[in-house]
Structure formats: C-alpha cells, structure tokens
Amino acid sequence: MAPGWWTEAVIYQIYPRSFADSDGDGIGDLPGITARLGHLAELGVDAVWLSPFYPSPQADAGYDVADYRDVDPLFGSLADADRLIAEARAKGLKVIVDLVPNHTSSAHRWFRAAVAAAPGSPERARYIFRDGLGPDGAEPPNDWQSVFGGPAWTRLVEPDGRPGQWYLHLFDTAQPDLNWDNPEIRAEFVDVLRFWLDRGVDGFRVDVAHGLIKQADLANWEEPQEILSGNEADKPRPPMWDQDGVHEVYRQWRQVLDSYDGDRILVAEAWVEPAERIARYVRPDEMHQAFNFEYLLAAWTAPAQYAVITRSLEATDAVGAPTTWVLSNHDVIRHASRMGLSAKGGRPNGIGIGDPQPDAALGLRRARAATLLMLALPGSAYLYQGEELGLPEHTTLPDESRQDPTWERSGHTQRGRDGCRVPIPWEADAPSYGFGPTDASWLPQPPLWAEYALDRQQGVSGSTYETYRTALRLRREYALGRGTLEWLSSGDEVLSFRNGGLTVLTNFGTAAVPPPAGELLHSSAPLDADGRVPTDVTVWVRHS
Ligand code: GLC
C-alpha cells in the first residue's frame, strides 16, 4: 500500500482569528478563510490545520471550548465549515481541525452542571474536583501551578453560598480539566471525533495530548510550570504530564479513525522530551504524527541542528512513523524574530516594549535558511500562517492590547503569545492590510506590515514568499518528504546532506564556503560575488 499522504505532507496552520476577516469585525472567520484558500493552493501546501473555531467565551482564544459540535458565530456557522471543507477538497487541500480534550470551557454545559451539583455528584465526576486542605479547606489540594501562571486550582462558591470544593485547571481558570478516568468523557470524545469525521475532515490536531491523565495521587510538584516545559531525560516525570495512561485513549481513537474511509490522521501536541517519549505517541496503533518541539527549540548552530535532526529521525524510525518538523506556531515567538534574538537573553515568552529587541535582518536571514533546511528533510513539515511572508513577531505591541491570559495570570511578568497572533497582511495599501474590509483588527497591526504584505512579494524574485513557493515546488518535484537523509558533512560550521537527487548545504560559520558541486536549484539568499555560500544561507543543489 502506498504510504499515506500525511507521511510527507506540508501542513499549513491557520489561526482563524487572524487569517482573513470577511465581515469587517476585526476577527478572522471561516468565510474569510474559504475566500483565501487559493493562496494556499498557489503556495503549494498539502493540508491546512485550523486552530479552534468552536463556540467559546474566548478566554484562551478558542482553546476554551463550550460546544465541540458547532461553530462560534464569531467565525461563522456549521454551514460555513462544510463549505470550507468542500472548497478545500476541490483545491486538493486536506483539512485538519483542532480537538481540545484536556479541558472544556467553564461555559460548557457540563461544567455549569458540575458547579450547580453537590460534591460527590456524577456531574462533578466529569472534572477534577477536590476538597481543599487545612481546617476549613481554604488551601488548594496540591501545589500545582497553571501553565499560564498562578495556582492550577480555583475554589468554588457552592450553590448555598459557602466556599466549597476546588477544581483543577492546568491552564486558565476558565479551562477546567476533564476527568479522563470517567468513561462518560471517553464516550463523548469518540462521538465528537465521529461528528467531524462524518463532516469530512481529514484529521485532528490534539491539543495538550500529554495532559489528559494525571498521576492518581495528584502528588505535589515543586518545579516551575511552563507551556514549553517537557520531561528532561534525567528528571522525574511531572505528575500532570505524559502519564502512561494517555496512550490507551489514543489507541481507542485510532480505531475510530481507521473505521473511516480515506486516510484520516491524529497529530499530537505534546510538549514532551526526549524524542523517545514523543515517539510513544506515534506507535503504529496510536497517533500518526507528533509535533517535534525539540526541533523548534533547538539552537541555530551546526552541532545542535545535526543532533536534533539525527535524534528525531532515529526516534520516529524506531516506531515506523514519519518525523515532523516545525519552526513556528501560535504559541511561540515567530522564528523570523526568535532567530534574531541574542542567545544570552534565554527564551522569552513574548516580547514587548522595553524588552531586548530582535535583530530583524539577522532573524529573517536565519529563518529563511532554517526553513530551506527544514523543507529539505524527509517527513512532514508544519508552517504557521504568515511565515511564508517572513512575518516577524509584533514585538512592540502595547501592553493594553494584550489578550493572552498569560499576561494577567503571570502578574505582568510574561508577555505571552499575542505577538505571533496579529492578523496577517495581504495587500499593502488596503484597510487592515487586506485582512478584512475595514480597519478593524483584534490586535493592532504594526505599520511594518505593509512591507511584508503578500502583494508586495508575489512575483518578486528572492522575496520570502517566492522563496517558500519555489521550495515547496522543488520539494514535491524531488519527493523530498519521501526521501532518505544521508549526511555528507556535520562539522561545527557547515551541515550538508543528500536527500534523493538533492544536495543541501547550510552555512552556520562566519566565512563563506563553496557550494556543493552540481546545478544550483535554490538558495535562501543570494550567493556572494565569488559564487560562495555566505553565513546563514542554505542552498539546494542538484547533484550529478
Ligand atoms: C495548547 C495550545 C495553546 C493553548 C493551550 C491550552 O498548548 O496550543 O494555544 O493555550 O493548549 O488549550
């Protein structure tokens, strides 16, 4: 049997609030996406993954779902979703939707029922309610911290007005964690999977896939809690992440997907290290893919890139799954800015006015080199909307505009993820840079957006957009996603490998180096006057 489409697919992440706004309210929507699908076909990706568009109070930009079987009026209707799926299919694009099983919104009917019901009731047993500690239960049940800052427990006021039980929320207070030991929850999500599979989606990106099962004793955990934290190989496993019990859930889901026609996939969002632990999510009877966050987080040096690429390939090969690659998404600083930050500043969660600012030119140069390196690797790659324009992070967003709950919950110490979520520019001279028909934009767009607009880059040789398009065309032509990597050089300054008919070289050193022998097909920036590959440039050469 031919390998599934997903083993080599380039999957483009759409963040619906910020992609395209059809009605001018400043928030992107499904009809907006449908109208812009031509861009994605033109770019040459294989599939789109849509971040959540379900009914939601939007406490965490839709990752707080109040109804898993509908569309929020902000984004359109179920009919709009059907139209989007059909139009995408007509353009040869697959559609993956986001599934958020770790928690619901506090506005979900189940949570409302739980709050209204008594301690010990079946309604409360759908979530993780506990009595507090101390004589009057005023202390939280354990010391867990929320990923967004502050305690991971909130105390209820019981229906009779007295302070009552506490509920667990690993994220915002408006995102209560579900109790996955309860069979009713498992049955419900199987039904939700079927609901979207029946509507024709090609798969699910599974949010916080490593969080569903908690260690039974809810033991204290003294370590800090971060969205980017995983399990370092030499550290004990946190009691809230990557528990062995999660795998049973995905085995059951896999059976559901396999009972459908076509090739439908599950993709794990699991911030888990090392690569061998992540590979457990993509064993043959579980999910199809898992995001490779170790790759996203790797330093831009030849040894670090060599190590992470080699390790990733080995770990997924061992379980027979494709490796995935990703550089940007809606939770991290866009790689065009991240790669222009000084390494000494660590890895900030957001950048704002007054913070050390990235070197934009250096960041973009490295980002383009990194993207060309990534798109030449065998496996499947993820792109985040706007990276094909070389879009930087908005690093001077006024703090008053911030919407990520991280900013408030961290007591204004972590700026959070708004800077990568700003609505993207399509036309330099249009209102909201073509995002919508009006000037409205739920996060302010910086004036800089004009120079990154799609219409400024189309047909402009050497623009980031054309660089991506050429790379995607060649990737398909040379079947790079299906290929095998063979290292030619893995020194401190230069990485070079073969994949099928292509030789790829990235120069991390300070001096220019000669390109590999053969016909130069593509490069992330021009070669120097002597035909050598300058610092922070990747070239693709057809070897003879
Ligand atoms: C995932 C999402 C992130 C969200 C969190 C809670 O990490 O990618 O955006 O805030 O889950 O649902």
Side-chain angles (χ1 to χ4, degrees), residues 166-246:
W166 297 71
Y167 68 90
L168 178 70
H169 52 87
L170 290 178
F171 295 89
D172 191 62
T173 36
Q175 293 168 296
D177 280 53
L178 285 164
N179 170 18
W180 275 86
D181 293 325
N182 183 338
E184 191 187 354
I185 306 298
R186 297 191 183 218
E188 168 73 356
F189 274 87
V190 164
D191 199 66
V192 170
L193 289 176
R194 291 189 182 285
F195 179 86
W196 290 102
L197 290 166
D198 289 339
R199 298 196 103 83
V201 304
D202 299 288
F204 302 89
R205 175 263 189 193
V206 180
D207 189 64
V208 196
H210 58 318
L212 274 48
I213 303 287
K214 279 76 181 173
Q215 194 171 297
D217 60 0
L218 302 182
N220 278 339
W221 175 252
E222 264 115 56
E223 304 288 322
Q225 180 69 274
E226 288 167 29
I227 194 161
L228 300 190
S229 79
N231 310 323
E232 310 278 334
D234 50 350
K235 283 211 231 137
R237 186 160 326 128
M240 67 295 278
W241 302 132
D242 197 28
Q243 302 295 306
D244 289 342
V246 297

Side-chain angles (χ1 to χ4, degrees), residues 60 63 103 148 171 205 207-208 227 269 330-331 417:
D60 183 23
Y63 281 95
H103 42 264
F148 296 155
F171 295 89
R205 175 263 189 193
D207 189 64
V208 196
I227 194 161
E269 187 226 17
H330 67 294
D331 289 328
R417 302 159 295 172

